[in-house]
Amino acid sequence: MKYVILIHSNPDPWGHPTSRFTPEGKALPPEEHEAADKAFEDLLGEISESGELVHAEALAAPATSTLYGWSPQGHLVTDGPYAEAKEQLAGFFVIDTATRERAEEIAAQFAQPGGTIELRPGMQ
């Protein structure tokens, strides 16, 4: 079953990995960032090797987005960001796992300082 892991964050300035640019992440010592980077690289290696990683993408700053809406009078085009919330979608990973439990196990490892991770199944 396919799942998307959505990474919500509010880095300032906008950059990746987002955990380096959030107040919580900036407060961590370099050694903790290095350990987290290694653990993340190990996870990516594991899910790539197992075939569970389908696709991943970091997203540019929300201010660079363009929104397209609909009305009876025609299409509406406005500059982003879409959400008024502080946290924005920073990136996503699509995974394909045998069980929800495995998807949850992987998603939990994406937790990061100053970010929220959302796991959502695809519609089948």
Side-chain angles (χ1 to χ4, degrees), residues 11-101:
D12 184 23
W14 193 267
H16 293 280
T18 57
S19 61
R20 299 243 180 190
F21 301 96
T22 61
E24 297 86 348
K26 289 176 184 177
L28 294 178
E31 304 80 40
E32 285 193 44
H33 282 292
E34 290 167 16
D37 290 348
K38 179 172 180 349
F40 190 68
E41 288 299 320
D42 291 347
L43 173 64
L44 289 182
E46 175 190 335
I47 62 177
S48 292
E49 194 172 299
S50 70
E52 294 170 307
L53 178 62
V54 176
H55 183 74
E57 193 79 34
L59 299 175
T64 65
S65 64
T66 302
L67 309 175
Y68 299 88
W70 180 91
S71 78
Q73 293 76 34
H75 297 293
L76 305 172
V77 180
T78 57
D79 292 333
Y82 173 72
E84 295 297 323
K86 288 181 183 178
E87 287 191 342
Q88 298 286 332
L89 185 60
F92 64 92
F93 289 75
V94 178
I95 57 173
D96 192 352
T97 60
T99 65
R100 168 119 187 153
E101 291 76 21

Coordinates of all heavy atoms in Angstrom, one line a residue, residues 11-101:
P11 N 10.8 26.8 8.4 CA 12.2 27.2 8.6 C 12.3 28.7 8.2 O 11.6 29.2 7.4 CB 12.9 26.3 7.6 CG 11.9 26.0 6.5 CD 10.6 25.9 7.3
D12 N 13.3 29.3 8.8 CA 13.6 30.7 8.5 C 15.1 30.9 8.5 O 15.7 30.9 9.6 CB 12.9 31.6 9.5 CG 13.1 33.1 9.2 OD1 13.3 33.4 8.0 OD2 13.0 33.9 10.1
P13 N 15.7 31.1 7.4 CA 15.1 31.2 6.1 C 14.7 29.8 5.6 O 15.1 28.8 6.2 CB 16.3 31.8 5.2 CG 17.5 31.2 5.9 CD 17.2 31.2 7.4
W14 N 13.9 29.8 4.5 CA 13.5 28.5 3.9 C 14.7 27.8 3.4 O 15.5 28.3 2.6 CB 12.5 28.8 2.8 CG 11.8 27.5 2.4 CD1 12.2 26.7 1.4 CD2 10.6 27.0 2.9 NE1 11.3 25.6 1.3 CE2 10.4 25.8 2.3 CE3 9.8 27.4 4.0 CZ2 9.3 25.0 2.6 CZ3 8.7 26.6 4.3 CH2 8.5 25.4 3.6
G15 N 14.9 26.6 3.8 CA 16.0 25.8 3.4 C 15.8 24.3 3.8 O 14.9 24.0 4.5
H16 N 16.7 23.5 3.2 CA 16.6 22.1 3.5 C 18.0 21.6 3.9 O 19.0 22.0 3.4 CB 16.1 21.3 2.3 CG 14.7 21.6 1.9 ND1 13.6 21.0 2.5 CD2 14.2 22.5 1.0 CE1 12.5 21.5 2.0 NE2 12.8 22.4 1.1
P17 N 18.1 20.7 4.9 CA 16.9 20.1 5.6 C 16.3 21.2 6.5 O 17.1 21.9 7.2 CB 17.6 18.9 6.4 CG 19.0 19.3 6.5 CD 19.4 20.1 5.3
T18 N 15.0 21.2 6.6 CA 14.3 22.2 7.3 C 14.7 22.3 8.8 O 14.7 23.3 9.4 CB 12.8 22.1 7.2 OG1 12.4 20.8 7.6 CG2 12.3 22.3 5.8
S19 N 15.0 21.1 9.4 CA 15.4 21.1 10.8 C 16.6 22.0 11.1 O 16.8 22.3 12.3 CB 15.6 19.7 11.3 OG 16.7 19.1 10.6
R20 N 17.4 22.3 10.2 CA 18.6 23.2 10.4 C 18.2 24.6 10.4 O 19.0 25.5 10.9 CB 19.6 23.0 9.3 CG 20.1 21.6 9.2 CD 21.6 21.6 9.5 NE 22.1 20.2 9.5 CZ 23.3 19.9 9.9 NH1 24.1 20.8 10.4 NH2 23.7 18.6 9.8
F21 N 16.9 25.0 10.0 CA 16.5 26.4 9.9 C 15.3 26.7 10.8 O 14.8 27.8 10.6 CB 16.2 26.7 8.4 CG 17.4 26.4 7.5 CD1 17.5 25.2 6.8 CD2 18.4 27.4 7.4 CE1 18.6 25.0 6.0 CE2 19.4 27.2 6.5 CZ 19.6 26.0 5.8
T22 N 14.9 25.8 11.6 CA 13.8 26.1 12.6 C 14.5 26.6 13.9 O 15.7 26.2 14.2 CB 13.0 24.9 12.9 OG1 13.8 23.9 13.5 CG2 12.3 24.4 11.6
P23 N 13.8 27.3 14.7 CA 14.4 27.8 16.0 C 14.8 26.6 16.9 O 15.9 26.6 17.5 CB 13.3 28.5 16.7 CG 12.4 29.0 15.6 CD 12.5 28.0 14.5
E24 N 14.0 25.5 16.8 CA 14.4 24.3 17.6 C 15.6 23.6 17.1 O 16.5 23.2 17.8 CB 13.2 23.3 17.6 CG 11.9 23.8 18.2 CD 11.0 24.6 17.3 OE1 11.5 24.9 16.1 OE2 9.9 24.8 17.6
G25 N 15.7 23.6 15.8 CA 16.9 23.0 15.1 C 18.2 23.8 15.3 O 19.3 23.3 15.5
K26 N 18.0 25.2 15.2 CA 19.2 26.0 15.4 C 19.7 25.9 16.8 O 20.9 26.2 17.0 CB 18.8 27.5 15.1 CG 18.5 27.8 13.6 CD 18.0 29.2 13.4 CE 17.7 29.5 12.0 NZ 17.1 30.8 11.8
A27 N 18.9 25.5 17.8 CA 19.3 25.4 19.2 C 20.2 24.2 19.4 O 20.8 24.0 20.5 CB 18.1 25.5 20.1
L28 N 20.1 23.2 18.5 CA 20.8 21.9 18.7 C 22.3 22.1 18.4 O 22.7 22.8 17.4 CB 20.2 20.8 17.8 CG 18.8 20.4 18.2 CD1 18.3 19.4 17.2 CD2 18.7 19.9 19.6
P29 N 23.2 21.3 19.1 CA 24.6 21.4 18.8 C 24.9 20.6 17.4 O 24.1 19.7 17.1 CB 25.2 20.7 20.0 CG 24.2 19.9 20.6 CD 22.9 20.6 20.3
P30 N 25.9 21.0 16.8 CA 26.3 20.3 15.5 C 26.3 18.8 15.6 O 25.9 18.1 14.6 CB 27.6 20.9 15.1 CG 27.7 22.2 15.9 CD 26.9 22.0 17.1
E31 N 26.8 18.3 16.7 CA 26.9 16.8 16.8 C 25.5 16.1 16.7 O 25.4 15.0 16.2 CB 27.5 16.4 18.2 CG 28.9 17.0 18.5 CD 28.8 18.5 19.0 OE1 27.9 18.8 19.8 OE2 29.7 19.3 18.5
E32 N 24.5 16.8 17.2 CA 23.1 16.2 17.1 C 22.7 16.2 15.7 O 22.0 15.3 15.2 CB 22.2 16.9 18.1 CG 22.4 16.5 19.5 CD 21.3 17.0 20.4 OE1 20.1 16.8 20.1 OE2 21.6 17.5 21.5
H33 N 22.9 17.3 15.0 CA 22.6 17.4 13.6 C 23.3 16.3 12.8 O 22.7 15.6 11.9 CB 22.9 18.7 13.0 CG 21.9 19.8 13.4 ND1 20.6 19.8 12.9 CD2 22.0 20.9 14.1 CE1 19.9 20.8 13.4 NE2 20.7 21.5 14.1
E34 N 24.6 16.1 13.1 CA 25.4 15.1 12.3 C 24.8 13.7 12.6 O 24.7 12.9 11.7 CB 26.8 15.2 12.7 CG 27.5 16.5 12.2 CD 28.9 16.7 12.9 OE1 29.4 15.8 13.5 OE2 29.3 17.9 12.7
A35 N 24.5 13.4 13.9 CA 23.9 12.1 14.2 C 22.5 11.9 13.5 O 22.2 10.8 13.0 CB 23.7 12.0 15.7
A36 N 21.7 12.9 13.5 CA 20.4 12.9 12.8 C 20.6 12.7 11.3 O 19.8 11.9 10.7 CB 19.6 14.1 13.2
D37 N 21.5 13.4 10.7 CA 21.8 13.3 9.3 C 22.2 11.8 9.0 O 21.8 11.3 8.0 CB 22.9 14.2 8.9 CG 22.4 15.7 8.9 OD1 21.2 16.0 9.0 OD2 23.3 16.6 8.8
K38 N 23.1 11.3 9.8 CA 23.5 9.9 9.5 C 22.3 8.9 9.7 O 22.2 8.0 8.8 CB 24.6 9.5 10.5 CG 25.1 8.0 10.2 CD 26.3 7.6 10.9 CE 26.7 6.2 10.6 NZ 25.9 5.3 9.9
A39 N 21.5 9.1 10.7 CA 20.4 8.2 10.9 C 19.4 8.3 9.7 O 18.9 7.3 9.2 CB 19.7 8.5 12.2
F40 N 19.2 9.5 9.2 CA 18.3 9.7 8.1 C 18.9 9.1 6.8 O 18.2 8.4 6.0 CB 18.1 11.2 7.9 CG 17.0 11.5 6.9 CD1 15.7 11.2 7.2 CD2 17.3 12.1 5.7 CE1 14.6 11.4 6.3 CE2 16.2 12.3 4.8 CZ 14.9 12.0 5.1
E41 N 20.2 9.3 6.6 CA 20.8 8.7 5.4 C 20.7 7.1 5.5 O 20.5 6.5 4.5 CB 22.3 9.1 5.3 CG 22.4 10.5 4.8 CD 21.8 10.8 3.5 OE1 21.9 10.0 2.6 OE2 21.2 11.9 3.3
D42 N 20.9 6.6 6.7 CA 20.8 5.1 6.9 C 19.3 4.7 6.5 O 19.1 3.7 5.9 CB 21.1 4.7 8.3 CG 22.6 4.9 8.6 OD1 23.4 5.0 7.6 OD2 23.0 4.8 9.8
L43 N 18.3 5.5 7.0 CA 16.9 5.1 6.7 C 16.7 5.2 5.2 O 16.0 4.3 4.7 CB 16.0 6.1 7.5 CG 14.5 6.0 7.1 CD1 14.0 4.6 7.5 CD2 13.7 7.1 7.8
L44 N 17.1 6.2 4.6 CA 16.9 6.3 3.1 C 17.6 5.2 2.4 O 17.0 4.6 1.4 CB 17.5 7.7 2.6 CG 16.7 8.9 3.0 CD1 17.3 10.1 2.3 CD2 15.2 8.8 2.6
G45 N 18.8 4.8 2.8 CA 19.4 3.6 2.2 C 18.6 2.3 2.4 O 18.5 1.6 1.5
E46 N 18.1 2.2 3.6 CA 17.3 1.0 3.9 C 16.0 0.9 3.1 O 15.7 -0.1 2.5 CB 16.9 1.0 5.4 CG 16.0 -0.1 5.8 CD 15.4 0.1 7.2 OE1 16.1 0.7 8.1 OE2 14.4 -0.5 7.5
I47 N 15.3 2.0 3.0 CA 14.0 1.9 2.3 C 14.2 2.0 0.7 O 13.4 1.5 0.0 CB 13.0 3.0 2.7 CG1 13.5 4.4 2.5 CG2 12.6 2.7 4.2 CD1 12.5 5.5 2.9
S48 N 15.4 2.5 0.3 CA 15.7 2.4 -1.1 C 16.0 1.0 -1.5 O 15.6 0.5 -2.5 CB 16.9 3.3 -1.4 OG 16.5 4.7 -1.3
E49 N 16.9 0.4 -0.7 CA 17.3 -1.0 -0.9 C 16.1 -2.0 -0.9 O 16.1 -2.9 -1.7 CB 18.4 -1.4 0.1 CG 19.1 -2.7 -0.3 CD 20.3 -2.9 0.7 OE1 21.2 -2.0 0.7 OE2 20.3 -3.9 1.4
S50 N 15.2 -1.7 0.0 CA 14.0 -2.6 0.2 C 13.0 -2.4 -0.9 O 12.0 -3.2 -1.0 CB 13.4 -2.5 1.5 OG 12.7 -1.2 1.6
G51 N 13.1 -1.3 -1.6 CA 12.1 -1.0 -2.7 C 10.9 -0.2 -2.1 O 9.9 0.0 -2.8
E52 N 10.9 0.1 -0.8 CA 9.8 0.8 -0.2 C 9.8 2.3 -0.6 O 8.7 2.9 -0.5 CB 9.8 0.7 1.3 CG 9.6 -0.7 1.8 CD 9.9 -0.9 3.3 OE1 11.0 -0.5 3.7 OE2 9.0 -1.4 4.0
L53 N 10.9 2.9 -0.9 CA 10.9 4.3 -1.3 C 10.5 4.4 -2.8 O 11.1 3.9 -3.7 CB 12.3 4.9 -1.1 CG 12.5 6.4 -1.6 CD1 11.6 7.3 -0.8 CD2 13.9 6.8 -1.5
V54 N 9.4 5.2 -3.0 CA 8.9 5.3 -4.4 C 9.5 6.7 -5.0 O 10.0 6.7 -6.1 CB 7.4 5.3 -4.4 CG1 6.9 5.6 -5.8 CG2 6.9 4.0 -3.9
H55 N 9.3 7.7 -4.2 CA 9.7 9.1 -4.7 C 9.8 10.0 -3.5 O 9.1 9.8 -2.5 CB 8.7 9.6 -5.7 CG 9.0 10.9 -6.3 ND1 10.0 11.1 -7.3 CD2 8.5 12.2 -6.1 CE1 10.1 12.3 -7.6 NE2 9.2 13.0 -6.9
A56 N 10.7 11.0 -3.7 CA 10.8 12.0 -2.6 C 11.1 13.4 -3.3 O 11.8 13.4 -4.3 CB 11.9 11.7 -1.6
E57 N 10.7 14.4 -2.7 CA 11.0 15.8 -3.2 C 10.9 16.8 -2.1 O 10.0 16.9 -1.3 CB 9.9 16.1 -4.3 CG 10.2 17.3 -5.1 CD 11.1 16.9 -6.3 OE1 11.1 15.8 -6.8 OE2 11.9 17.8 -6.6
A58 N 12.0 17.6 -2.1 CA 12.0 18.8 -1.2 C 11.3 19.9 -2.0 O 11.4 20.0 -3.3 CB 13.4 19.3 -0.9
L59 N 10.5 20.8 -1.4 CA 9.8 21.8 -2.1 C 10.4 23.2 -1.8 O 10.9 23.5 -0.7 CB 8.3 21.8 -1.6 CG 7.5 20.5 -1.9 CD1 6.2 20.6 -1.2 CD2 7.5 20.2 -3.3
A60 N 10.3 24.0 -2.8 CA 10.8 25.4 -2.7 C 9.9 26.2 -1.7 O 8.8 25.7 -1.3 CB 10.8 26.1 -4.1
A61 N 10.3 27.4 -1.4 CA 9.5 28.2 -0.4 C 8.1 28.4 -0.9 O 7.8 28.6 -2.0 CB 10.2 29.6 -0.3
P62 N 7.2 28.5 0.1 CA 5.8 28.7 -0.2 C 5.5 29.9 -1.0 O 4.6 30.0 -1.8 CB 5.1 28.7 1.2 CG 6.0 27.9 2.1 CD 7.4 28.2 1.5
A63 N 6.3 31.0 -0.8 CA 6.1 32.2 -1.5 C 6.3 32.1 -3.0 O 5.8 33.0 -3.7 CB 7.0 33.3 -0.9
T64 N 6.9 31.0 -3.4 CA 7.1 30.8 -4.9 C 6.0 30.1 -5.5 O 6.0 29.9 -6.7 CB 8.4 30.0 -5.1 OG1 8.3 28.7 -4.6 CG2 9.6 30.7 -4.5
S65 N 5.0 29.7 -4.8 CA 3.9 29.0 -5.3 C 2.8 29.9 -6.0 O 2.8 31.1 -5.8 CB 3.1 28.2 -4.3 OG 2.6 29.0 -3.3
T66 N 2.1 29.3 -6.9 CA 1.0 30.0 -7.6 C -0.2 29.1 -7.4 O -0.2 27.9 -7.5 CB 1.2 30.1 -9.1 OG1 2.4 30.8 -9.3 CG2 0.1 30.8 -9.8
L67 N -1.3 29.8 -7.0 CA -2.6 29.1 -6.7 C -3.6 29.2 -7.8 O -3.7 30.3 -8.3 CB -3.2 29.6 -5.4 CG -2.2 29.7 -4.2 CD1 -2.9 30.3 -3.0 CD2 -1.7 28.3 -3.8
Y68 N -4.2 28.1 -8.1 CA -5.2 28.2 -9.2 C -6.6 27.7 -8.6 O -6.7 26.6 -8.0 CB -4.9 27.2 -10.3 CG -3.6 27.6 -11.0 CD1 -2.3 27.1 -10.5 CD2 -3.5 28.5 -12.0 CE1 -1.1 27.5 -11.1 CE2 -2.3 28.9 -12.6 CZ -1.1 28.4 -12.1 OH 0.0 28.8 -12.7
G69 N -7.5 28.6 -8.7 CA -8.9 28.3 -8.1 C -9.9 28.3 -9.3 O -9.6 28.6 -10.4
W70 N -11.1 28.0 -8.9 CA -12.2 28.0 -9.9 C -13.3 28.8 -9.3 O -13.6 28.8 -8.1 CB -12.7 26.5 -10.1 CG -13.8 26.4 -11.0 CD1 -13.7 26.2 -12.4 CD2 -15.2 26.5 -10.8 NE1 -14.9 26.2 -13.0 CE2 -15.9 26.4 -12.0 CE3 -15.9 26.7 -9.6 CZ2 -17.2 26.4 -12.1 CZ3 -17.3 26.8 -9.8 CH2 -17.9 26.6 -11.0
S71 N -14.0 29.5 -10.2 CA -15.3 30.1 -9.9 C -16.1 30.1 -11.2 O -15.6 29.8 -12.3 CB -15.0 31.6 -9.5 OG -14.8 32.4 -10.7
P72 N -17.4 30.3 -11.1 CA -18.3 30.3 -12.3 C -17.8 31.3 -13.3 O -18.1 31.1 -14.5 CB -19.7 30.6 -11.8 CG -19.6 30.2 -10.3 CD -18.2 30.5 -9.9
Q73 N -17.1 32.4 -12.9 CA -16.7 33.4 -13.8 C -15.4 33.0 -14.5 O -14.9 33.7 -15.4 CB -16.5 34.7 -13.1 CG -17.8 35.4 -12.6 CD -18.3 34.7 -11.3 OE1 -17.6 34.2 -10.5 NE2 -19.6 34.6 -11.2
G74 N -14.7 32.0 -14.1 CA -13.5 31.6 -14.7 C -12.4 31.2 -13.7 O -12.7 31.3 -12.5
H75 N -11.3 30.9 -14.1 CA -10.2 30.4 -13.2 C -9.6 31.6 -12.5 O -9.5 32.7 -13.1 CB -9.1 29.7 -14.0 CG -9.6 28.5 -14.6 ND1 -9.9 27.4 -13.9 CD2 -9.8 28.1 -15.9 CE1 -10.3 26.4 -14.7 NE2 -10.2 26.8 -16.0
L76 N -9.2 31.4 -11.3 CA -8.6 32.5 -10.4 C -7.1 32.1 -10.2 O -6.8 31.0 -9.9 CB -9.3 32.6 -9.1 CG -10.8 32.8 -9.2 CD1 -11.4 32.7 -7.8 CD2 -11.1 34.2 -9.8
V77 N -6.3 33.0 -10.4 CA -4.8 32.8 -10.2 C -4.3 33.8 -9.2 O -4.5 35.0 -9.3 CB -4.0 33.0 -11.5 CG1 -2.6 32.7 -11.3 CG2 -4.6 32.0 -12.6
T78 N -3.7 33.3 -8.1 CA -3.1 34.2 -7.1 C -1.7 33.6 -6.7 O -1.4 32.5 -6.9 CB -4.0 34.3 -5.8 OG1 -4.2 33.0 -5.3 CG2 -5.3 34.9 -6.1
D79 N -0.9 34.5 -6.1 CA 0.4 34.1 -5.6 C 0.2 33.3 -4.3 O -0.8 33.6 -3.5 CB 1.3 35.3 -5.4 CG 1.7 35.9 -6.7 OD1 1.7 35.2 -7.7 OD2 2.0 37.1 -6.7
G80 N 1.1 32.4 -4.0 CA 1.1 31.7 -2.7 C 1.6 32.5 -1.6 O 2.0 33.7 -1.7
P81 N 1.6 32.0 -0.4 CA 1.3 30.6 -0.1 C -0.2 30.3 0.1 O -0.9 31.3 0.3 CB 2.1 30.3 1.2 CG 2.1 31.6 1.9 CD 2.2 32.7 0.8
Y82 N -0.5 29.1 0.0 CA -1.9 28.7 0.1 C -2.4 28.8 1.6 O -3.4 29.5 1.8 CB -2.1 27.2 -0.3 CG -3.5 26.7 -0.1 CD1 -4.5 27.1 -0.8 CD2 -3.7 25.7 0.9 CE1 -5.8 26.6 -0.6 CE2 -5.0 25.2 1.1 CZ -6.0 25.7 0.3 OH -7.3 25.2 0.6
A83 N -1.7 28.2 2.5 CA -2.2 28.2 3.9 C -1.8 29.5 4.6 O -0.7 30.1 4.3 CB -1.6 27.0 4.6
E84 N -2.6 29.9 5.5 CA -2.3 31.1 6.4 C -1.5 30.7 7.6 O -1.0 31.5 8.3 CB -3.6 31.8 6.8 CG -4.3 32.4 5.6 CD -3.5 33.5 4.9 OE1 -2.8 34.3 5.5 OE2 -3.6 33.5 3.6
A85 N -1.3 29.4 7.8 CA -0.6 28.8 9.0 C 0.9 29.1 8.8 O 1.4 29.3 7.7 CB -0.9 27.3 9.1
K86 N 1.6 29.1 10.0 CA 3.0 29.3 9.9 C 3.7 28.1 9.3 O 4.6 28.3 8.5 CB 3.5 29.5 11.3 CG 3.2 30.8 12.0 CD 3.7 30.9 13.3 CE 3.3 32.2 14.0 NZ 3.8 32.4 15.3
E87 N 3.3 26.9 9.6 CA 3.9 25.7 9.0 C 3.4 25.5 7.6 O 2.2 25.6 7.4 CB 3.7 24.5 9.9 CG 4.5 24.5 11.2 CD 4.5 23.2 11.9 OE1 3.6 22.4 11.7 OE2 5.4 23.0 12.8
Q88 N 4.3 25.2 6.7 CA 4.0 24.9 5.3 C 4.5 23.5 5.0 O 5.4 23.0 5.6 CB 4.6 26.0 4.5 CG 4.1 27.4 4.7 CD 2.7 27.6 4.2 OE1 2.3 27.0 3.2 NE2 2.0 28.5 4.8
L89 N 4.0 23.0 3.8 CA 4.5 21.8 3.3 C 5.9 22.0 2.8 O 6.2 22.8 1.9 CB 3.6 21.2 2.2 CG 3.9 19.9 1.7 CD1 3.9 18.8 2.8 CD2 3.0 19.5 0.6
A90 N 6.9 21.3 3.4 CA 8.3 21.5 3.0 C 8.8 20.4 2.0 O 9.8 20.6 1.3 CB 9.2 21.5 4.2
G91 N 8.2 19.2 2.0 CA 8.6 18.2 1.2 C 7.7 16.9 1.4 O 6.9 16.9 2.3
F92 N 8.0 15.9 0.6 CA 7.2 14.7 0.8 C 8.0 13.5 0.3 O 8.9 13.6 -0.5 CB 5.9 14.8 0.0 CG 6.1 14.8 -1.5 CD1 6.1 13.7 -2.3 CD2 6.2 16.1 -2.1 CE1 6.3 13.8 -3.6 CE2 6.4 16.2 -3.5 CZ 6.5 15.0 -4.2
F93 N 7.6 12.3 0.8 CA 8.2 11.0 0.5 C 7.0 10.1 0.2 O 6.1 10.1 1.0 CB 9.0 10.4 1.6 CG 10.3 11.1 1.8 CD1 10.4 12.4 2.4 CD2 11.5 10.6 1.4 CE1 11.6 13.0 2.6 CE2 12.7 11.2 1.6 CZ 12.8 12.4 2.2
V94 N 7.0 9.4 -0.9 CA 6.0 8.4 -1.2 C 6.7 7.1 -0.9 O 7.8 6.8 -1.5 CB 5.5 8.5 -2.7 CG1 4.5 7.4 -2.9 CG2 4.9 9.8 -2.9
I95 N 6.0 6.3 -0.1 CA 6.6 4.9 0.2 C 5.5 3.9 -0.1 O 4.3 4.2 -0.2 CB 7.0 4.8 1.7 CG1 5.8 5.2 2.7 CG2 8.2 5.7 2.0 CD1 6.1 4.9 4.1
D96 N 6.0 2.7 -0.3 CA 5.1 1.6 -0.6 C 5.4 0.4 0.3 O 6.5 -0.2 0.2 CB 5.3 1.1 -2.1 CG 4.2 0.2 -2.6 OD1 3.4 -0.3 -1.7 OD2 4.2 -0.1 -3.8
T97 N 4.6 0.2 1.3 CA 4.9 -0.8 2.3 C 3.8 -1.9 2.4 O 2.7 -1.7 1.9 CB 5.0 -0.1 3.7 OG1 3.7 0.5 4.0 CG2 6.0 0.9 3.8
A98 N 4.2 -3.0 2.9 CA 3.3 -4.1 3.0 C 2.2 -3.9 4.1 O 1.1 -4.4 3.9 CB 4.1 -5.4 3.4
T99 N 2.5 -3.1 5.1 CA 1.5 -2.9 6.2 C 1.5 -1.4 6.6 O 2.5 -0.7 6.4 CB 1.8 -3.8 7.4 OG1 3.1 -3.4 8.0 CG2 1.9 -5.3 7.0
R100 N 0.4 -1.0 7.3 CA 0.4 0.3 7.9 C 1.4 0.4 9.0 O 2.0 1.5 9.1 CB -1.1 0.6 8.4 CG -1.1 1.8 9.3 CD -2.0 2.8 8.8 NE -1.9 4.1 9.6 CZ -2.2 5.2 9.1 NH1 -2.6 5.4 7.9 NH2 -2.1 6.3 9.8
E101 N 1.6 -0.6 9.7 CA 2.5 -0.6 10.8 C 3.9 -0.3 10.3 O 4.7 0.5 10.9 CB 2.5 -2.0 11.6 CG 1.3 -2.2 12.3 CD 0.1 -2.6 11.5 OE1 0.3 -3.1 10.3 OE2 -1.1 -2.5 12.0

